[in-house]
Amino acid sequence: MDELYLFLFRFDVMAGAIIVFIVPYIFSEIGESLKKIHKETKRPYIEKKSMKSLTGDLSKDISHISECVGRSSDLSVRKFVIGSSGMKAALIHIDGLTDKQMIHDHLLTPLMTLYAGKNFSSNEVESFLLSKHIPMTDVKENKTIDDILHGILTGSAALIIDRLHDAIIIDVKGWKSRDIMGAPTETLVRGPRIGFVENLRDNTALLRRLSPSPNLRMVDYQIGKQTKLCSLVYIKGIAEEDLVEEVSERIKQIDIDNALDTGYIEQLIEDNYLSLFPQIQNTERPDRVMGALLEGRVAILLDGSPFALIVPVTLPMFIQTPEDYYERWLPMSFFRMLRFTASFISVFLPSLYIAFVSFNQGMIPTKLALSMASSRINSPFPSLVEAILMEVSVEILREAGLRLPRPVGSTVGLVGGLVIGEAAVKANLVSPIMVIVVALTAISSFVIPQYNIGIGLRILRFGGMFCAATLGLYGILLFLLIICIHLSKLESFGTPYFTANIFDFKDVKDTIFRLPLFSMIIRPKELSSDINKYRRKKKRL
């Protein structure tokens, strides 16, 4: 018997050594190899533009532009004559992207009638119109067909004049957009009731309203072969230049047909695409973005998406909410620690149940152990199978509730959970205490404020259950150790994801708990230098 115990002990030690040292090394090597392959196959950023210019023949230029967009039915071409000069011209725009009333009142009417008595030659017409007779703010000249097409397809109108090789691009955007309202995915009891929308300039204006500082910088990039406008936002003097340059370079290297949402950008610029933990934060709230910018972080906005990206990030940022700073520090510190506790419960509660039932019964109080044993008398499955059946059922119900219409989805989730849980207990498929464990796990996962970090934790839950079913509490500790090793190695744009200044009180005071605002004088150390590290100079009197 002693030899058997000795053998089992040696087996546990060997298994632990393999899990702790060899498995992380293997996965690390695989990850590095895939990163290398991904980096080698990534095509460099090359700006490709056709240099073909207008011919000066109005009919040929109109025909060529129409062919470039496939003679689409929404392409509007309005031919007219400028004043009494007899000079032919055409105004080209996309119906639905432009403001027709603006075109009629400020372009066609002045050019056709108001200055009918003015005669001018082809050499002076362009400068004459730009300087005096086009009452618009955003007007520029373009020669290449690609630039003209880009202007037309992004909501501008192109004024082409016969015998001229330049087109005048006039900004007359006027498409329908969603009204600015609250962020539906990040609801708060107290805080601003505004959220980003799909219009990029509306979103940048929201940030300007929160901070009218001239140091708030916005740099635009064209990403995708089909050209989508992306804006890099930071505060000069607070954000480190190296960080801004790194984010800028990663955006320039994006090679994709079109980015429909910032989720495309997130996946293409993140550090470790094999990790279950997101290294970029997404948000619909301008106040969250501005708070991150004031810490020295960088934001990425995309035209057509209401979600902004924040980089770099750390793990505690996904458990925090903007409301933590709008209420007093004591209750918010309590609720923040409650969220961290709920995150731990959502990952490890089913694993702990399996370990205690299958391996470590001696650690349970006697009365509780007898109660759990009596409830499992008629259960035909081991605890691992019970947990997997219930957890998979909950995940299916959760996914169904998200994809169905909102009134139906909430009903399906509530009724489905009650019916399945009660029916499973009555059929003796699972024990009642298993239903309680799964319910507590699901409720704890709802406390996590960020959806993307919640997905990763839900997947880790299944890994923890298998480790608990194999080695009990020992397996759970090894699994937790592997997670900690992975988080310690993980980075977000060069910033440690998990262990950044964890023993520095000046940074820890705004992680798991939050101290009063007047004590937060210094910005996060990993994002600041000696020049920009102070938020303010004086403490509270």
Side-chain angles (χ1 to χ4, degrees):
M1 201 65 172
D2 293 338
E3 293 179 356
L4 178 61
Y5 282 130
L6 181 61
F7 171 76
L8 292 176
F9 175 75
R10 290 177 177 175
F11 174 77
D12 286 349
V13 172
M14 292 177 61
I18 292 173
I19 294 175
V20 173
F21 297 105
I22 300 178
V23 173
Y25 175 77
I26 293 174
F27 276 99
S28 176
E29 290 299 318
I30 293 174
E32 292 298 328
S33 301
L34 291 175
K35 282 183 182 180
K36 185 177 180 181
I37 295 172
H38 178 68
K39 189 174 182 180
E40 291 175 353
T41 55
K42 186 183 292 185
R43 286 180 285 177
Y45 173 75
I46 302 175
E47 187 177 4
K48 297 179 180 180
K49 281 194 175 182
S50 170
M51 298 307 295
K52 189 172 183 180
S53 304
L54 296 176
T55 63
D57 188 320
L58 184 62
S59 299
K60 290 183 178 179
D61 292 335
I62 293 174
S63 178
H64 182 66
I65 292 174
S66 300
E67 290 176 358
C68 288
V69 295
R71 299 190 179 276
S72 298
S73 58
D74 59 348
L75 182 69
S76 176
V77 180
R78 177 65 168 88
K79 298 179 181 179
F80 62 96
V81 177
I82 299 177
S84 60
S85 63
M87 189 168 292
K88 298 179 181 179
L91 194 67
I92 305 175
H93 64 95
I94 297 293
D95 190 12
L97 296 183
T98 55
D99 188 336
K100 289 186 176 181
Q101 192 66 37
M102 188 183 298
I103 291 175
H104 179 270
D105 294 343
H106 300 289
L107 291 179
L108 291 178
T109 299
L111 293 175
M112 294 174 66
T113 61
L114 188 59
Y115 308 109
K118 178 67 181 179
N119 293 312
F120 36 126
S121 64
S122 59
N123 295 328
E124 64 178 2
V125 59
E126 192 170 359
S127 59
F128 181 77
L129 292 177
L130 286 173
S131 60
K132 293 185 178 181
H133 297 295
I134 297 182
M136 308 294 289
T137 56
D138 190 356
V139 182
K140 55 187 177 181
E141 303 173 62
N142 278 317
K143 293 184 178 181
T144 66
I145 296 293
D146 284 344
D147 290 337
I148 295 171
L149 286 173
H150 178 262
I152 294 172
L153 296 173
T154 54
S156 297
L159 177 61
I160 301 176
I161 302 172
D162 195 25
R163 300 195 302 276
L164 291 183
H165 296 274
D166 293 349
I168 302 175
I169 306 299
I170 308 137
D171 186 5
V172 287
K173 296 182 178 69
W175 57 71
K176 299 294 182 182
S177 60
R178 180 166 58 93
D179 293 335
I180 295 175
M181 56 184 66
T185 60
E186 299 174 82
T187 56
L188 299 179
V189 176
R190 181 176 182 178
R193 294 293 189 268
I194 56 173
F196 288 128
V197 293
E198 287 75 15
N199 191 321
L200 177 62
R201 288 304 162 220
D202 287 345
N203 295 338
T204 55
L206 289 175
L207 294 178
R208 288 288 183 190
R209 287 178 58 189
L210 292 177
S211 177
S213 169
N215 292 325
L216 181 61
R217 304 298 169 85
M218 301 179 183
V219 183
D220 289 346
Y221 298 92
Q222 296 291 340
I223 62 172
K225 297 176 182 178
Q226 307 301 324
T227 62
K228 202 70 174 290
L229 190 62
C230 169
S231 187
L232 177 67
V233 186
Y234 66 98
I235 298 179
K236 186 175 179 59
I238 295 181
E240 290 292 321
E241 294 295 333
D242 292 341
L243 173 62
V244 176
E245 183 66 24
E246 175 67 20
V247 178
S248 175
E249 287 300 318
R250 294 195 191 188
I251 292 176
K252 289 179 181 179
Q253 290 178 3
I254 293 177
D255 186 10
I256 192 172
D257 287 339
N258 198 356
L260 302 179
D261 186 79
T262 51
Y264 286 74
I265 300 177
E266 178 181 356
Q267 297 174 67
L268 292 171
I269 67 174
E270 64 183 352
D271 290 72
N272 188 349
Y273 60 91
L274 295 175
S275 176
L276 290 175
F277 294 89
Q279 300 115 60
I280 299 174
Q281 188 177 39
N282 63 78
T283 179
E284 286 187 280
R285 298 192 62 86
D287 54 337
R288 186 192 284 270
V289 172
M290 184 52 62
L293 295 178
L294 292 172
E295 287 183 342
R297 306 184 196 276
V298 175
I300 302 172
L301 305 177
L302 179 67
D303 191 27
S305 173
F307 287 90
L309 301 180
I310 298 174
V311 294
V313 295
T314 57
L315 181 61
M317 289 178 60
F318 293 96
I319 314 297
Q320 301 168 2
T321 66
E323 198 172 24
D324 291 350
Y325 303 93
Y326 301 149
E327 294 286 355
R328 299 178 66 250
W329 71 278
L330 276 174
M332 288 300 102
S333 295
F334 170 76
F335 287 119
R336 184 180 287 187
M337 288 187 287
L338 190 66
R339 286 188 223 112
F340 277 96
T341 304
S343 302
F344 182 85
I345 291 174
S346 69
V347 177
F348 291 103
L349 184 58
S351 306
L352 291 172
Y353 171 78
I354 294 171
F356 286 135
V357 169
S358 303
F359 288 89
N360 308 95
Q361 298 92 339
M363 299 183 66
I364 310 174
T366 304
K367 290 185 178 180
L368 179 59
L370 293 174
S371 175
M372 293 174 61
S374 63
S375 67
R376 287 183 45 80
I377 290 176
N378 297 321
S379 179
F381 301 117
S383 56
L384 175 63
V385 177
E386 279 187 338
I388 291 178
L389 287 175
M390 293 304 298
E391 287 294 342
V392 170
S393 301
V394 169
E395 293 300 326
I396 292 174
L397 286 173
R398 190 202 300 259
E399 194 67 16
L402 286 175
R403 307 307 164 197
L404 290 172
R406 184 168 298 177
V408 181
S410 59
T411 305
V412 168
L414 179 61
V415 176
L418 292 174
V419 171
I420 290 177
E422 185 178 359
V425 172
K426 286 185 177 180
N428 292 324
L429 294 177
V430 296
S431 61
I433 194 169
M434 184 72 248
V435 176
I436 296 174
V437 169
V438 172
L440 286 175
T441 304
I443 293 172
S444 299
S445 66
F446 292 144
V447 178
I448 302 172
Q450 291 279 296
Y451 178 72
N452 53 355
I453 190 70
I455 296 174
L457 296 181
R458 284 154 54 187
I459 296 174
L460 288 175
R461 184 187 309 155
F462 291 93
M465 289 191 295
F466 283 108
C467 289
T470 305
L471 298 171
L473 286 177
Y474 183 54
I476 295 177
L477 291 176
L478 291 177
F479 182 68
L480 178 60
L481 184 59
I482 292 173
I483 294 176
C484 292
I485 292 173
H486 172 68
L487 292 175
S488 299
K489 294 180 62 178
L490 195 60
E491 290 185 347
S492 174
F493 288 80
T495 300
Y497 190 74
F498 182 57
T499 57
N501 304 315
I502 195 169
F503 299 109
D504 190 339
F505 178 74
K506 295 177 182 178
D507 278 349
V508 174
K509 63 186 178 182
D510 190 25
T511 52
I512 299 177
F513 53 88
R514 181 184 77 81
L515 291 186
L517 291 177
F518 62 79
S519 66
M520 298 181 188
I521 301 174
I522 299 178
R523 292 187 175 90
K525 186 174 293 185
E526 68 273 10
L527 298 172
S528 59
S529 61
D530 293 336
I531 299 175
N532 64 349
K533 70 177 182 179
Y534 290 102
R535 288 187 171 104
R536 55 192 183 88
K537 295 296 183 181
K538 295 182 179 180
K539 294 184 178 181
R540 183 181 181 184
L541 298 176

